[in-house]
Amino acid sequence: MAKTIIFGHKNPDTDAICSAIGYADLKQKLGIDAEPVRLGAVSKETQYALDYFEVKAPALMEEVEPGTDVILVDHNEFQQSVANIKDARITEVVDHHRISNFETSEPLYFRAEPVGCTATILNKMYKENGIAVPKQIAGLLLSAIISDSLLLKSPTCTQEDVDAAHELAEIAGVDLHTYGLEMLKAGADLGDKSISELLTMDAKEFSMGGAKVEIAQVNAVDTEQIYALQTEIEAEIANLIKEKELDLFLFVVTDILNNDSEVLAVGNGKSKVEAAFNVDLDHRSRALLKGVVSRKKQIVTALTEAYEK
């Protein structure tokens, strides 16, 4: 039987990489030859988790071999996947996002649940198959939940995520909040990142009412330290808009201590941002979004609604 490749979205976050590793482990224990890969660089946050639990990062994959069996985790939209995803045979999807721009020529196993993290679903799948989650994998799945839920504070976080996090923390042998805060702080250390890295390390492209919108998000302890580079950031965003023919680029800097986000809007869709969040962008094209931390639940949904009106 040919090997099955498992991967999360481009510009991978902790859930994308850790869920790929976790699901590959489960598949291997079920007798399926599966290998996790990644579609981009490993962030500091994810590397912290991998180092802590002594797990090697998956190999980087630029393109998938045509006809290869693949499993998508933490995404389903084709523009967020490997460039030649249509050349692959998608056998499964395990995700927690909206379903959009997705089709296959053959039936598949598709599991999408309204929880805060793909890792929460995988934790459930281990139980359903009667397989204990190994300590290292438990640590990685826990890390994914902490990342996606901002240490269980995000509005995307459900009781299932909370229960899974506590359960996995016990298996992994860590204090949930102590470990979680250290991991988030590691990810918020952006001092050595270039402008290009800030804008691509966690960026996703969306189709909204016929418009092409890209939303990049970074976590920080000091948002003003990031926006001190606004002139350079805007120049690089302008290049991205031209290169990708985007209608809007939204740069979101999330304060992990106060659970707010300050956004910078560039492109033709500024009015959509104001309408979506009932704010006025200031002379710097920025606005503070109080209590907004989730791209998936708070930003994408509100912007999509504004574009479709």
Side-chain angles (χ1 to χ4, degrees), residues 6 92 114 118 221:
I6 304 178
E92 295 185 38
T118 307
V221 175

Side-chain angles (χ1 to χ4, degrees), residues 15 34 62 69 108 120 136 149 170 199 204 209 228 234 263 280:
D15 190 22
E62 300 288 350
D69 286 354
L108 75 161
T120 298
Q136 288 177 304
S149 70
E170 185 173 349
L199 296 175
K204 291 184 179 181
E234 285 189 275
V263 300
D280 292 320

Side-chain angles (χ1 to χ4, degrees), residues 5 11 28 58 99 114 148 302:
I5 305 299
N11 303 318
Q28 290 161 9
I99 299 165
D148 271 11

Side-chain angles (χ1 to χ4, degrees), residues 18-231:
C18 291
S19 285
I21 296 172
Y23 201 24
D25 175 78
L26 177 57
K27 284 294 187 183
Q28 290 161 9
K29 287 180 168 57
L30 292 171
I32 296 167
D33 188 7
E35 177 188 355
V37 299
R38 56 185 170 89
L39 304 186
V42 179
S43 71
K44 282 187 177 181
E45 178 188 277
T46 307
Q47 193 63 56
Y48 180 91
L50 293 171
D51 290 344
Y52 192 98
F53 294 105
E54 300 180 338
V55 177
K56 185 179 178 181
L60 175 66
M61 185 179 72
E62 300 288 350
E63 287 190 344
V64 63
E65 285 289 329
T68 300
D69 286 354
V70 302
I71 296 174
L72 312 186
V73 294
D74 198 34
H75 76 298
N76 65 82
E77 298 187 48
F78 279 3
Q79 70 268 26
Q80 297 175 8
S81 199
V82 68
N84 65 329
I85 184 62
K86 292 184 179 180
D87 295 334
R89 178 174 177 265
I90 304 173
T91 62
E92 295 185 38
V93 174
V94 182
D95 194 12
H96 69 121
H97 296 95
R98 71 176 190 173
I99 299 165
S100 181
N101 302 323
F102 179 89
E103 62 178 22
T104 62
S105 59
E106 300 178 43
L108 75 161
Y109 178 85
F110 196 113
R111 184 163 181 166
E113 297 189 19
V115 293
C117 185
T118 307
T120 298
I121 305 172
L122 294 179
N123 182 55
K124 191 187 304 184
M125 293 174 75
Y126 270 92
K127 294 178 184 178
E128 292 168 354
N129 285 281
I131 296 175
V133 183
K135 181 176 181 179
Q136 288 177 304
I137 299 299
L140 296 185
L141 295 182
L142 168 65
S143 301
I145 295 173
I146 290 169
S147 176
D148 271 11
S149 70
L150 275 183
L151 198 49
L152 311 181
K153 293 177 182 177
S154 169
T156 61
C157 186
T158 67
Q159 190 59 48
E160 283 191 60
D161 298 297
V162 174
D163 293 343
H166 284 283
E167 181 179 309
L168 291 165
E170 185 173 349
I171 297 171
V174 298
D175 179 86
L176 171 60
H177 291 282
T178 301
Y179 169 76
L181 188 57
E182 289 304 310
M183 188 193 81
L184 290 177
K185 284 182 177 179
D189 178 11
L190 304 173
D192 63 344
K193 298 296 181 184
S194 68
I195 300 299
S196 177
E197 287 172 325
L198 287 175
L199 296 175
T200 59
M201 59 191 288
D202 187 6
K204 291 184 179 181
E205 187 179 310
F206 301 90
S207 176
M208 299 181 181
K212 287 180 68 176
V213 177
E214 186 156 335
I215 304 173
Q217 184 174 25
V218 297
N219 293 337
V221 175
D222 183 359
T223 59
E224 284 305 315
Q225 182 180 18
I226 303 298
Y227 278 122
L229 304 170
Q230 180 168 339
T231 300

Side-chain angles (χ1 to χ4, degrees), residues 242-282:
K242 183 177 180 180
E243 175 189 334
K244 299 183 177 183
E245 300 182 332
L246 301 171
D247 295 281
L248 172 69
F249 192 106
L250 195 65
F251 182 52
V252 183
V253 183
T254 298
D255 185 331
I256 63 171
L257 299 181
N258 296 314
N259 294 315
D260 299 321
S261 293
E262 187 156 3
V263 300
L264 168 65
V266 182
N268 298 326
K270 289 184 180 182
S271 63
K272 300 297 184 182
V273 176
E274 294 180 321
F277 303 106
N278 193 28
V279 296
D280 292 320
L281 294 169
D282 64 20

